């Protein structure tokens, strides 16, 4: 990045912090018990961190959000049970599942499984499409739970019944989490499971097309972020983006489970497609800037992403994943996206 861009970013970061909207604070602490390379980005005004990392909106956020229609989990569970000849009993709601729900359920002869469903009718086509794709990547060794059933309810809501996998997400992007993520990403290399759903082309459209325009015209916060990333991405408009890997499409610390130091399962995979696995790494980096991360873990992820496809590809994917979550935030975050601006500008500066 040139000196002019650095000066612009420094000035705008200062403006957003000084005027009282800097609810996200970056700090390096030398206090006892903390090291100078610990990086924390504190989000004080967002409702939940899971809102930052659980986008299931496919290619167009607005069309999905506008198609929400309330229905109870009991109705969905009854429909699924009737269609598949199983008497499911609801046990508990699982963490996450912001756009519908993930529920632990039990069948007398099948044990505990997970019911996932979405309140978005527009998401139904992708869930149905993903069933065969998930089966194919599992056959090639990717550690995601098997889908035991999938379909659409009579009201048009998509669902899946998945095998239950034990494990817990790691709370912060530290070196252990980074190593496990990198090992996982290596399994996505060359899988190319659905060339018709190309996340690399999607990223290009977000950064140089409709996504950029939606964010730029949304207000001062969105325009400020777009200006910062335009300085990085405009010269890269003709860059060829790799597209022969598997892309999870919603990868975050919340979505991969760890048991006894190993990845036990990768969940929330409905958005699966082809593209570059760097897109998933970019999503993890974006989430780290909006949440918590240790510098060494974050740096490891960035180094691997750049080694796979180069820093320019990472810049485009980082911009795409950031624009995605901010457009989502415009619709769904209680206080809007102003609080995210300092972290977004810091991400642009660091890239």
């Amino acid at each position: 990045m040139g000196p002019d861009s650095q000066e612009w970013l420094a000035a705008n970061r200062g403006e957003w912090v000084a005027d009282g909207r800097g609810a996200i604070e970056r700090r390096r602490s030398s206090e006892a018990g903390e090291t100078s390379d610990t990086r924390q980005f504190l989000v004080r005004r967002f409702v939940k961190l899971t809102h930052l990392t659980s986008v299931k909106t496919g290619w167009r956020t607005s069309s999905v959000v506008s198609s929400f229609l309330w229905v109870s989990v009991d109705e969905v569970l009854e429909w699924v049970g009737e269609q598949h000849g199983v008497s499911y009993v609801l046990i508990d709601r699982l963490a996450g599942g912001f756009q519908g729900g993930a529920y632990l359920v039990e069948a007398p002869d099948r044990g505990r499984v997970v019911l996932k469903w979405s309140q978005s009718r527009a998401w139904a086509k992708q869930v149905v499409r993903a069933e065969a794709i998930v089966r194919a990547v599992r056959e090639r060794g990717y550690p995601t739970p098997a889908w035991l059933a999938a379909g659409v309810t009579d009201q048009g809501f998509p669902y899946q019944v998945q095998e239950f996998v034990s494990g817990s997400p790691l709370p912060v992007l530290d070196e252990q989490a980074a190593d496990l993520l990198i090992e996982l990403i290596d399994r996505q290399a060359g899988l190319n499971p659905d060339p018709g759903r190309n996340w690399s082309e999607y990223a290009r459209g977000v950064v140089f097309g409709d996504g950029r325009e939606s964010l730029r015209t949304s207000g001062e916060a969105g325009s400020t972020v777009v200006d910062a990333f335009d300085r990085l991405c405009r010269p890269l408009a003709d860059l060829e983006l790799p597209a022969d890997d598997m892309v999870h499409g919603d990868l975050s610390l919340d979505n991969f489970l760890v048991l006894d130091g190993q990845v036990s399962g990768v969940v929330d995979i409905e958005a699966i497609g082809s593209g570059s696995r760097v897109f998933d790494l970019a999503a993890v980096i974006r989430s780290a800037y909006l949440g918590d991360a240790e510098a060494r873990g974050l740096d490891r992820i960035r180094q691997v992403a750049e080694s796979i496809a180069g820093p320019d590809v990472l810049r485009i994917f980082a911009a795409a994943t950031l624009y995605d979550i901010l457009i989502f935030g415009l619709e769904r975050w209680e206080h809007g996206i102003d609080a995210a601006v300092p972290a977004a500008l810091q991400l642009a500066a660091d890239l």
Side-chain angles (χ1 to χ4, degrees):
M1 180 184 298
D4 292 342
S5 296
Q6 290 282 9
E7 290 174 7
W8 183 92
L9 286 164
N12 278 274
R13 282 200 304 276
E15 175 188 344
W16 278 86
V17 172
D19 70 5
R21 286 175 284 191
I24 298 177
E25 174 185 326
R26 180 186 182 190
R27 68 183 185 185
R28 290 179 180 270
S29 175
S30 57
E31 298 174 3
E34 295 183 338
T35 61
S36 61
D37 62 347
T38 298
R39 212 181 264 176
Q40 294 182 335
F41 301 97
L42 304 181
V43 182
R44 298 188 183 125
R45 288 175 56 194
F46 293 133
V47 180
K48 291 181 180 179
L49 182 59
T50 52
H51 291 196
L52 304 178
T53 56
S54 297
V55 180
K56 301 292 187 305
T57 54
W59 305 126
R60 289 293 178 266
T61 299
S62 59
S63 65
V64 175
V65 171
S66 65
S67 66
F68 285 143
L69 177 66
W70 175 255
V71 65
S72 73
V73 64
D74 291 329
E75 292 176 84
V76 175
L77 194 59
E78 182 180 1
W79 169 267
V80 173
E82 289 177 353
Q83 295 303 302
H84 299 282
V86 181
S87 298
Y88 290 114
V89 177
L90 180 63
I91 304 298
D92 198 5
R93 177 162 184 163
L94 301 174
F98 175 61
Q99 303 235 22
Y103 297 86
L104 182 64
V105 302
E106 190 168 34
D109 57 342
R110 303 189 185 187
R112 293 189 170 187
V113 296
V114 175
L115 168 71
K116 282 205 64 184
W117 68 283
S118 173
Q119 296 177 42
S120 169
R121 290 169 165 173
W123 193 233
K125 182 178 180 180
Q126 174 55 29
V127 171
V128 172
R129 176 185 185 127
E131 183 180 14
I133 308 302
V134 169
R135 184 166 55 249
V137 298
R138 277 180 49 81
E139 289 173 354
R140 298 180 67 179
Y142 194 73
T144 191
W147 288 20
L148 308 176
V152 182
T153 72
D154 57 338
Q155 293 181 303
F157 301 111
Y159 65 85
Q160 320 109 56
V161 179
Q162 303 178 8
E163 66 177 350
F164 175 76
V165 175
S166 297
S168 301
L170 295 176
V172 65
L173 182 59
D174 55 15
E175 286 188 278
Q176 179 193 7
D179 287 343
L180 290 172
L181 275 168
I182 291 165
E183 179 185 352
L184 176 68
I185 286 292
D186 284 345
R187 300 192 190 191
Q188 298 177 203
L191 287 183
N192 195 16
D194 189 1
R197 183 173 170 81
N198 188 326
W199 278 98
S200 294
E201 286 306 306
Y202 169 68
R204 186 185 302 280
V206 171
V207 175
F208 301 109
D210 291 346
R212 174 189 177 277
E213 287 304 304
S214 294
L215 191 58
R216 186 183 64 81
T217 58
S218 66
E220 184 182 0
S223 178
T224 299
V225 172
V226 169
D227 285 347
F229 278 89
D230 272 355
R231 287 165 167 77
L232 289 176
C233 296
R234 272 182 178 169
L236 309 176
D238 296 326
L239 181 68
E240 183 177 353
L241 300 176
D244 57 358
D245 298 331
M246 174 197 141
V247 176
H248 178 287
D250 187 19
L251 192 63
S252 70
L253 293 186
D254 293 327
N255 288 342
F256 81 104
L257 306 179
V258 177
L259 184 66
D260 297 332
Q262 302 294 322
V263 176
S264 58
V266 185
V267 298
D268 286 358
I269 199 172
E270 299 96 300
I272 187 171
S274 293
S276 171
R277 62 195 188 277
V278 175
F279 184 96
D280 284 337
L281 291 176
V284 171
I285 291 170
R286 174 215 64 196
S287 296
Y289 272 76
L290 295 179
D292 292 334
E294 292 182 2
R296 283 180 291 190
L298 184 57
D299 290 345
R300 282 273 289 133
I301 294 293
R302 178 176 174 177
Q303 289 167 7
V304 169
E306 291 182 346
S307 71
I308 292 171
D312 288 344
V313 170
L314 176 59
R315 288 171 183 141
I316 291 176
F317 289 150
T321 62
L322 180 66
Y323 288 6
D324 253 357
I325 201 65
L326 294 182
I327 293 169
F328 180 75
L330 289 168
E331 296 271 1
R332 309 299 291 181
W333 292 346
E334 181 180 359
H335 298 288
I337 67 171
D338 286 8
V341 172
L345 297 182
Q346 187 62 59
L347 176 57
D350 290 347
L351 289 173

